[in-house]
Amino acid sequence: MATLLEHPYTLPELPYDYAALEPVINPQIIELHHDKHHAAYVKGANDALEQLAEARDKAAWGSVNGLEKNLAFHLSGHILHSIYWHNMTGDGGGEPLAEDGVGELADAIAASFGSFAGFRAQLTKAAATTQGSGWGVLAYEPVSARLIVEQIYDHQGNVGQGSVPILVFDAWEHAFYLQYKNQKVDFIEAMWQVVNWQDVAKRYASAKERAHSLLLAP
């Protein structure tokens, strides 16, 4: 029986047109990445939920292991891509500065990594050295109330539980191959030219506000 939650995930619209991130990312990549790849993760997450509901109705638990893996993969892909689009802007780049209204984020980066340069180098290496497919991620870790860099395999592997991603670099080949070929490092370096620090700062502030509800113990 259909429910309101049967297909809860939808593909978000891009916050800019396909050409907005040139020359760092060309329009063809943005169109294919959003309209095909991201859309496939949305469909995959909804399909997994529907199949899990069917398994519950029939008590057919033989497939639950594979379905749970599918849900984790596709849902994480949907979430990370939804952040990814807003993490970028055609007039972004540089580093977060107090005079741009993102001083709190800049201070947190310095406190957590020693310097912006140290943070940039760590996130760049994390993204560029993913084995196969994955992401480099700056996340807020609520237990220590600090920022950490995570190297995520696929969309869901190697993640610190409870951490909140606030800046994500997509290191899957579909994010860059048509333009950068096999030069993933060049793509990651170019990504710093389009980082939307205003968006990252908002996500950092929101993650801190919600931190108390994410902790498992007082």
Side-chain angles (χ1 to χ4, degrees):
M1 182 174 63
T3 69
L4 290 176
L5 295 179
E6 188 174 356
H7 295 96
Y9 304 115
T10 58
L11 180 67
E13 293 185 4
L14 287 171
Y16 35 70
D17 62 42
Y18 296 138
L21 302 179
E22 285 194 292
V24 173
I25 309 178
N26 69 38
Q28 184 184 16
I29 288 178
I30 296 294
E31 182 176 6
L32 290 172
H33 196 169
H34 176 266
D35 296 3
K36 301 298 183 182
H37 291 281
H38 189 172
Y41 300 130
V42 172
K43 182 179 185 303
N46 285 324
D47 286 351
L49 285 180
E50 184 175 337
Q51 290 160 8
L52 282 164
E54 183 178 351
R56 288 194 302 273
D57 290 343
K58 297 180 178 179
W61 301 116
S63 61
V64 69
N65 184 52
L67 291 175
E68 294 288 5
K69 289 181 178 178
N70 285 342
L71 178 60
F73 177 84
H74 290 291
L75 178 55
S76 296
H78 171 44
I79 291 171
L80 288 171
H81 280 91
S82 296
I83 297 170
Y84 179 67
W85 306 123
H86 287 274
N87 273 170
M88 298 183 291
T89 177
D91 55 1
E95 64 179 276
L97 300 171
E99 51 262 42
D100 295 327
V102 291
E104 187 177 2
L105 173 64
D107 290 344
I109 288 174
S112 297
F113 301 98
S115 66
F116 177 78
F119 153 68
R120 173 171 170 160
Q122 184 176 344
L123 181 55
T124 297
K125 290 296 183 182
T129 60
T130 50
Q131 294 177 331
S133 301
W135 301 72
V137 173
L138 173 66
Y140 178 75
E141 198 286 290
V143 177
S144 64
R146 63 179 291 137
L147 295 171
I148 61 173
V149 164
E150 296 182 318
Q151 187 180 55
I152 299 177
Y153 293 102
D154 289 336
H155 303 303
Q156 77 283 13
N158 213 29
V159 177
Q161 296 299 315
S163 61
V164 181
I166 64 173
L167 173 63
V168 300
F169 280 10
D170 192 341
W172 282 64
E173 283 193 346
H174 64 238
F176 64 87
Y177 195 84
L178 288 176
Q179 184 173 356
Y180 292 85
K181 306 308 179 189
N182 64 338
Q183 300 303 311
K184 179 161 61 176
V185 174
D186 292 346
F187 170 65
I188 300 302
E189 288 288 356
M191 276 288 298
W192 291 102
Q193 300 174 41
V194 293
V195 174
N196 184 347
W197 292 115
Q198 298 294 328
D199 181 70
V200 179
K202 290 177 182 177
R203 294 180 186 279
Y204 171 63
S206 178
K208 284 206 311 176
E209 290 174 2
R210 295 185 291 121
H212 68 281
S213 65
L214 296 175
L215 297 177
L216 299 179

